[in-house]
Amino acid sequence: MFVRTERLFLRPGWPEDVDELVEAISDEAVQRNVGISTLPRTAQAMRDYLTLDRDPRLPHFFMYLRSPDGPQLVGGIGLGRFEGDVEMGYWIAPPYRGKGFAREAVRALLAQARALGHRRVLASFFEEAPATRSVLESTGFSDSGEYRERFSQTRGTPIRARIYVAEFAGDGDSRHAPDQAPVTCLG
C-alpha cells in the first residue's frame, strides 16, 4: 500500500532503505519521544522490522519527500494496536521538523484509516512535545482529557502521555477534521 500527498510519498520500507532508516531513527531526538515501542537502531533490527508480517488494516509507512533530487526520508508513521485501541504514531527526522510534513502525513494516514473502516484512532504525546499537540489538534484529533503511561526506552522509565482521539462519523468524514489536502492511495 502506498499513499501520495502533495509533497510526500508514504510507503513501506524496503531492504535498500535499511542504512538510511537506521541513521535517521538512531537520532536521540527521534528516540526520545517514541512512546509505544522502541524503533530499531541496528541494521539487523531494521531488516527484522521490515520483514514483520503486518495486519493490512494497521499500515506502517515511511515518509519520503518527493524531490527533483530524488526521494528524501522525512520520517515514519503508522497505526498499531495498543491497550485494545488503534493508535497512530509518527516521527519526523530533525531536519524536516516545523515544515508541515507531520500534518500532511497525519491527514493522509487518517484518510487511510477511514478507508480501512476504523471508527476511532488514538494518538499520544509527551507533554514536553508541544509541536505534536499542535499537529494533532490541526488534523482532527481532540483532547480526551486522559493520560496513559508510555514506557520511554531512551529515558528508561514510564512517562505520562496525553491521549488525543479522532473519531469518524458513519459517512466516512471525521467529526473534527479540518479541510483535507488531496490524498491518493495506490493499492
Side-chain angles (χ1 to χ4, degrees):
M1 181 180 315
F2 303 85
V3 178
R4 186 175 49 134
T5 69
E6 181 181 345
R7 300 178 295 168
L8 299 172
F9 190 52
L10 308 182
R11 65 166 176 80
W14 297 328
E16 58 267 23
D17 300 328
V18 167
D19 292 336
E20 181 181 35
L21 291 170
V22 169
E23 182 180 341
I25 288 172
S26 293
D27 186 284
E28 287 303 314
V30 170
Q31 288 284 334
R32 184 167 179 76
N33 288 312
V34 173
I36 294 179
S37 63
T38 303
L39 296 171
R41 290 179 138 184
T42 67
Q44 185 57 53
M46 180 57 71
R47 277 191 283 284
D48 293 345
Y49 175 81
L50 294 177
T51 61
L52 288 174
D53 286 334
R54 302 257 184 237
D55 180 334
R57 292 192 65 225
L58 300 171
H60 288 228
F61 299 110
F62 291 102
M63 305 173 211
Y64 282 88
L65 177 62
R66 296 183 294 130
S67 163
D69 300 327
Q72 299 170 17
L73 178 64
V74 171
I77 191 165
L79 297 175
R81 289 226 183 265
F82 192 75
E83 297 178 358
D85 292 308
V86 173
E87 189 160 335
M88 178 202 70
Y90 73 87
W91 58 271
I92 301 291
Y96 298 98
R97 291 182 182 166
K99 298 179 180 181
F101 295 120
R103 282 178 179 82
E104 193 170 324
V106 169
R107 284 184 181 114
L109 187 67
L110 288 178
Q112 191 67 31
R114 282 192 301 273
L116 291 169
H118 295 294
R119 307 285 278 173
R120 171 180 144 115
V121 175
L122 300 185
S124 65
F125 73 97
F126 299 136
E127 289 197 319
E128 72 251 16
T132 301
R133 171 197 274 161
S134 175
V135 167
L136 296 176
E137 290 176 349
S138 69
T139 56
F141 284 86
S142 297
D143 188 346
S144 72
E146 181 184 348
Y147 288 92
R148 293 185 185 173
E149 295 278 314
R150 296 289 192 255
F151 187 79
S152 170
Q153 189 73 30
T154 305
R155 301 169 203 214
T157 187
I159 305 291
R160 252 174 43 132
R162 190 72 175 206
I163 305 299
Y164 273 59
V165 63
E167 295 180 343
F168 308 120
D171 62 2
D173 293 329
S174 173
R175 294 180 192 161
H176 308 290
D179 293 336
Q180 303 264 333
V183 174
T184 304
C185 298
L186 309 166

